[in-house]
Amino acid sequence: MSDLPPCPKCSSPYTYEDGQIFVCPECAHEWSGSEVEAKESTAPQFLDANGNELKDGDTVTVIKSLKIKGSSSSVKVGTKVKGIRLVDGDHNIDCKIDGIGAMKLKSEFVKKA
């Protein structure tokens, strides 16, 4: 099996090379190898309140008291959150906070510990 990239338009694994371009037989999309490399290098970066880059598994500290929707409790300032997971979306941190449970946080309200 070859190591050709899947189609960026429909994610089909059945791509083939035609000279210097790749072609998808399912959706007829054509692209060059440099387009794929450019997209891979523009992966989203997640930054904390101080501008430090966050990665999966980091430990962060909450910098602002955050109310929890549908509950009378809140996440206090200085709460440490271990083993974060970064996801795309409005709330880009999935985590588990001791005493509260699974939460989604915005990266602008945390700093890297």
Side-chain angles (χ1 to χ4, degrees):
M1 195 114 215
S2 65
D3 293 328
L4 296 176
C7 175
K9 190 172 183 183
C10 71
S11 301
S12 171
Y14 304 113
T15 59
Y16 62 91
E17 245 178 316
D18 186 19
Q20 294 186 357
I21 61 171
F22 296 104
V23 181
C24 175
E26 292 185 4
C27 69
H29 180 67
E30 297 179 353
W31 72 99
S32 67
S34 60
E35 288 178 32
V36 174
E37 293 170 6
K39 286 184 182 179
E40 289 175 359
S41 66
T42 59
Q45 283 189 330
F46 299 100
L47 305 176
D48 69 357
N50 296 333
N52 298 321
E53 185 177 357
L54 296 172
K55 296 187 187 317
D56 284 340
D58 281 347
T59 299
V60 296
T61 305
V62 178
I63 62 167
K64 178 182 176 185
S65 185
L66 303 171
K67 288 188 172 192
I68 300 172
K69 283 188 178 180
S71 175
S72 60
S73 61
S74 65
V75 179
K76 305 278 189 225
V77 174
T79 302
K80 282 200 174 193
V81 181
K82 298 177 186 176
I84 64 170
R85 196 182 86 193
L86 300 172
V87 294
D88 286 332
D90 186 33
H91 292 74
N92 47 15
I93 297 175
D94 274 345
C95 61
K96 190 174 184 182
I97 300 176
D98 293 335
I100 296 175
M103 293 280 303
K104 289 187 178 238
L105 300 173
K106 291 185 177 183
S107 59
E108 61 209 41
F109 298 122
V110 299
K111 67 177 181 178
K112 198 169 185 176

